[in-house]
Amino acid sequence: MLVSYFPGKLTDLQMDAFFFDKLPSTSQSTPKPRHETSQMNVSCPQVDPDEGLGTDHDSTSERSSSMTMSTDESQEHQISSRIDDIGKKVQDLVGKINDSRTMDQTIMDNFQDKLVEKVGEICGQMKEHMYTVYEENSHAMQATLQELTLVLESCSRLNTELHTVSEALAGLNRGLTLHRSTE
């Protein structure tokens, strides 16, 4: 039978192979072969089933049973203790993971707050720049509109003068035409 061994921990298969193969057999005349691994340090006395017939055999069986039970209980206690230790370590790891996630969430919240604040600052600066550009454009447009107004007033004056000259020329043309026709 192949039995794997993990240092510090016996599997159920190892415990069964170790303990039950070494118990005296009342129905056989020779003991069962022992299954051991080279790394096991746990020892249990080997009891020969041919020794101590009668009352001596009963006391040997009782001693062997009590030793097996106390060894079983101590190994059960060790296994239970290790399982509890593993459970505590798992709980500690889960707690650390949850703490890490909480810290990550806090960092992200702080980052988001700072990012919102920075975006707000940049938007404020862009608005100020935009209003400055609007003001500069307004001044430029105002100057251009004033020039346009002056040009339009000049055009209106020229139009009025041109109309006056045109009427004078038309009157002169009529006068010349009458003068030629009377000659």
Side-chain angles (χ1 to χ4, degrees):
M1 171 184 298
L2 293 174
V3 178
S4 63
Y5 174 72
F6 296 98
K9 182 175 181 181
L10 293 175
T11 64
D12 290 338
L13 183 60
Q14 288 173 321
M15 289 190 317
D16 290 342
F18 184 73
F19 290 114
F20 293 121
D21 287 345
K22 292 186 179 183
L23 288 177
S25 173
T26 56
S27 64
Q28 294 180 352
S29 61
T30 57
K32 290 185 180 178
R34 295 176 11 172
H35 298 284
E36 296 181 0
T37 62
S38 61
Q39 295 177 345
M40 282 192 184
N41 295 328
V42 179
S43 64
C44 183
Q46 181 69 27
V47 179
D48 188 6
D50 293 335
E51 287 182 12
L53 297 173
T55 58
D56 288 339
H57 177 68
D58 291 339
S59 66
T60 304
S61 293
E62 287 175 13
R63 268 189 274 136
S64 176
S65 293
S66 69
M67 282 184 69
T68 303
M69 291 190 87
S70 68
T71 306
D72 284 346
E73 289 174 1
S74 70
Q75 285 184 345
E76 233 178 76
H77 178 68
Q78 287 176 349
I79 291 171
S80 176
S81 173
R82 289 186 183 210
I83 289 171
D84 290 344
D85 288 345
I86 291 171
K88 287 177 184 176
K89 287 180 182 178
V90 167
Q91 286 177 347
D92 289 345
L93 286 174
V94 169
K96 286 179 182 177
I97 289 170
N98 287 338
D99 291 345
S100 177
R101 287 179 178 177
T102 302
M103 191 176 1
D104 289 348
Q105 186 64 42
T106 303
I107 289 169
M108 284 305 295
D109 290 344
N110 289 339
F111 175 74
Q112 183 178 5
D113 292 343
K114 287 180 181 178
L115 186 62
V116 167
E117 182 180 328
K118 194 67 173 174
V119 167
E121 284 179 24
I122 292 172
C123 284
Q125 290 172 358
M126 288 181 70
K127 280 182 182 179
E128 287 178 22
H129 180 70
M130 184 175 64
Y131 293 144
T132 303
V133 169
Y134 284 172
E135 193 170 327
E136 289 172 1
N137 287 344
S138 293
H139 289 301
M141 284 191 293
Q142 180 124 16
T144 305
L145 286 174
Q146 285 176 349
E147 285 181 33
L148 181 62
T149 303
L150 292 173
V151 168
L152 288 175
E153 286 176 0
S154 177
C155 285
S156 180
R157 259 192 329 256
L158 287 175
N159 188 30
T160 306
E161 286 179 16
L162 186 60
H163 187 62
T164 306
V165 169
S166 178
E167 285 181 0
L169 284 176
L172 188 63
N173 191 20
R174 275 184 294 213
L176 281 176
T177 311
L178 280 173
H179 182 58
R180 277 189 198 166
S181 43
T182 52
E183 279 180 8

